[in-house]
Structures are given as structure tokens and as C-alpha cells.
Amino acid sequence: MAKSSKKTPSPLKTFEINSLTRLLSDGLKNAYGLIHTEPIVHIPNVDMYSTQNELVVEVEMPGVRKDDIEVFIHKNALTVKAAKFECFEEEKINYVCMERAFGRIFKTVDLPFPVDTARMKASYKDGVLTISVPRIEEKRTGAKRIQITSEE
């Protein structure tokens, strides 16, 4: 059975969220329940690429169960949060080396262009969460000169 880490994360392994991400997460707390009861100990690596039709975001999350992952989209930001639990049954284990982190995982990425949030898809395989979001036409075009008329 998986369990949550009872150890307090060391200051060296706990990552501070940059001020922009902190501001975004504070704004999302009420709307999506993103209140963290324990410190974020892991900020996953993300690859993001676009094709002509979609934006694809790949998030590395090895050792995380699919049911422990949540994906939110708010305005032009995509947020992924999860919990990674220890999977050790024995209490009398003497670690020789322990480099893996357990606890809260959090990542927010800004979407570079308008997307169709109604047709988003997410899949999780081999420790990588893949989120596909179809692109939509920008409602505002580039610079356009407006003709000025005189009122008489």
C-alpha cells in the first residue's frame, strides 16, 4: 500500500515557486482547490511543442499513479498537480542512499496561443503525462490600419 511521506523535506530538496507561479496558484486556490497542505517538493520537467493543428505538453512524472494527477486550465495557463507517495512497506529500513523525492508535485505553464479547451485530451504512459490541446484561430488579427473619417 502506498503512503504519504512523513519526513519533512530538506530545504535543499524543496523548490520555491517563482513569484508568477505563486501569484497564479493563489488565484486558483478558491476556484480549483489548489491549496497545498504540504510543501511542493518536485517541479517536473516539461516539453512543449506545437504542430499546425495542436499544442502538445509532455510532463515527466515517474512513479506517480494516474489517479493522483490533476490537470487544470485557466485562461492561458495549464496547471498540473499530483502527489507522489512512498511505496515502502517496511518501517525498519536503513537507507544507504535515497535520492527520489516524494510529496506534492506542481507545474504551471503559459500557453503561447489560443487553444480549444473543450477538446483537450490527456494520457499517461511510462511516467509521462501527455496533454494535447487543439489550436484555434486567433480572434484578433495582427496590426491593422483603421481609416479615420472626419465628422461634419
Side-chain angles (χ1 to χ4, degrees):
M1 179 167 120
K3 62 181 179 176
S4 177
S5 177
K6 293 179 184 167
K7 301 176 198 127
T8 305
S10 72
L12 296 175
K13 289 189 177 183
T14 302
F15 296 95
E16 278 296 303
I17 304 172
N18 64 33
S19 59
L20 181 62
T21 304
R22 186 179 305 268
L23 179 65
L24 176 64
S25 69
D26 288 345
L28 291 175
K29 281 181 183 178
N30 294 336
Y32 297 106
L34 293 175
I35 298 172
H36 305 291
T37 56
E38 61 183 78
I40 296 167
V41 295
H42 183 65
I43 299 174
N45 293 324
V46 172
D47 289 339
M48 185 167 38
Y49 61 91
S50 66
T51 65
Q52 192 171 21
N53 300 322
E54 69 181 353
L55 175 70
V56 178
V57 180
E58 295 177 337
V59 185
E60 283 186 347
M61 301 174 78
V64 177
R65 295 180 300 200
K66 179 182 72 100
D67 295 337
D68 296 327
I69 302 171
E70 296 180 64
V71 179
F72 302 97
I73 190 156
H74 181 66
K75 296 187 181 181
N76 66 335
L78 179 72
T79 301
V80 176
K81 75 173 199 168
K84 185 175 178 184
F85 298 99
E86 289 183 349
C87 56
F88 306 109
E89 299 271 339
E90 298 181 37
E91 293 181 12
K92 295 182 180 181
I93 294 177
N94 185 18
Y95 291 101
V96 175
C97 176
M98 186 174 188
E99 295 181 348
R100 294 183 293 164
F102 299 95
R104 309 295 300 157
I105 298 170
F106 186 86
K107 182 72 173 195
T108 297
V109 293
D110 290 328
L111 303 176
F113 45 76
V115 296
D116 184 356
T117 58
R119 297 187 310 149
M120 288 178 61
K121 293 180 184 175
S123 63
Y124 186 64
K125 182 179 179 185
D126 298 332
V128 177
L129 175 67
T130 303
I131 304 163
S132 302
V133 190
R135 292 176 89 148
I136 58 173
E137 187 81 21
E138 174 78 51
K139 292 190 178 64
R140 297 176 297 217
T141 59
K144 180 179 178 183
R145 186 177 182 117
I146 307 297
Q147 186 67 31
I148 301 172
T149 60
S150 50
E151 293 183 28
E152 295 181 36

